[in-house]
């Protein structure tokens, strides 16, 4: 089932989310809903707070090549264990901040640990777009948005545009 994606600014996007304690069917179906919502948007990553659920859960799939098999990832309690000294800059966007993009610099590679859909612990080293995406999504779980990396003026400009957009959407 597709869920509604919250738009910035929203207080729920600024909260630190709670760890997931036990795997349940409810959590599994929440994760499946998030993947459906992400693919529909379309996007390459989505964090639970973006649909108003303040729990440490992200989903992503950064496969972009036409014809390449999708690789949906569901990550409960994801944690960056280590990041490379080498940095990488990508133009980032966010489903909660539609049509706004900006360069963000982050470690080019990160080791990440998480609990998968079956409740098993996984670790993997991510690089390139996957590394940027997983860091962007984990940031969401700590109430941090990619615009928080930008200079205040640029961040305020984007927030003003978003406030205006939300007002227009509310009017219908
Ligand atoms: Ni985002």
């Amino acid at each position: 089932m597709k869920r509604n994606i919250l738009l910035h600014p929203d207080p729920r996007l600024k909260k630190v989310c709670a760890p997931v304690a036990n795997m349940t069917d409810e959590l599994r179906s929440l994760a499946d809903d998030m993947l459906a919502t992400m693919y529909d948007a379309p996007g390459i990553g989505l964090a639970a707070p973006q649909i108003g659920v303040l729990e440490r859960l992200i989903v992503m799939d950064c496969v972009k090549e036409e014809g390449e098999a999708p690789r949906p990832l569901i990550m409960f309690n994801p944690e960056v264990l280590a990041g490379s000294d080498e940095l990488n800059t990508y133009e980032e966007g966010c489903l909660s901040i539609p049509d706004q993009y900006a360069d963000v610099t982050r470690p080019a590679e990160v080791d990440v640990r998480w609990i998968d859909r079956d409740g098993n612990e996984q670790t993997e080293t991510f690089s390139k777009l996957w590394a940027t995406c997983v860091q962007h999504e984990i940031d969401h779980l700590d109430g941090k948005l990619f615009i928080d990396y930008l200079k205040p003026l640029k961040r305020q400009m984007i927030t003003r545009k978003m406030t205006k957009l939300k007002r227009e959407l509310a009017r219908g």
Side-chain angles (χ1 to χ4, degrees), residues 50 93-96 136-137 140:
Q50 292 182 276
C94 181
L95 293 177
S96 293
H136 173 122
E137 299 311 328
H140 273 297

Side-chain angles (χ1 to χ4, degrees), residues 58-93:
I58 64 172
V59 298
M60 58 178 206
D61 184 348
C62 299
V63 172
K64 284 194 306 190
E65 300 303 315
E66 208 51 50
E68 206 177 313
R71 191 191 176 211
L73 276 178
I74 291 171
M75 302 170 133
F76 294 95
N77 302 341
E79 250 184 291
V80 174
L81 301 175
S84 60
D85 292 333
E86 194 201 329
L87 303 174
N88 209 346
T89 301
Y90 268 102
E91 189 177 58
E92 295 191 23

Side-chain angles (χ1 to χ4, degrees), residues 67-160:
E68 206 177 313
R71 191 191 176 211
L73 276 178
I74 291 171
M75 302 170 133
F76 294 95
N77 302 341
E79 250 184 291
V80 174
L81 301 175
S84 60
D85 292 333
E86 194 201 329
L87 303 174
N88 209 346
T89 301
Y90 268 102
E91 189 177 58
E92 295 191 23
C94 181
L95 293 177
S96 293
I97 315 174
D99 301 323
Q100 304 298 325
Y101 302 92
D103 281 350
V104 177
T105 300
R106 304 179 187 266
E109 274 191 11
V110 282
D111 300 332
V112 180
R113 179 171 62 201
W114 73 96
I115 306 293
D116 70 15
R117 199 178 180 281
D118 300 317
N120 297 317
E121 189 177 294
Q122 304 280 349
T123 57
E124 186 172 327
T125 302
F126 292 97
S127 60
K128 300 185 183 140
L129 182 58
W130 288 86
T132 283
C133 185
V134 76
Q135 292 174 84
H136 173 122
E137 299 311 328
I138 291 174
D139 273 352
H140 273 297
L141 306 181
D142 294 315
K144 194 165 186 183
L145 304 171
F146 82 91
I147 56 170
D148 293 327
Y149 291 93
L150 310 180
K151 296 210 171 75
L153 214 61
K154 171 99 176 163
R155 182 168 62 241
Q156 285 155 15
M157 193 188 75
I158 289 175
T159 299
R160 264 200 307 275

Side-chain angles (χ1 to χ4, degrees), residues 18-36:
V20 170
N22 290 301
M23 197 55 55
T24 60
D25 284 343
E26 217 174 11
L27 283 172
R28 272 188 270 269
S29 105
L30 170 66
D32 294 341
D33 282 358
M34 283 173 55
L35 274 175

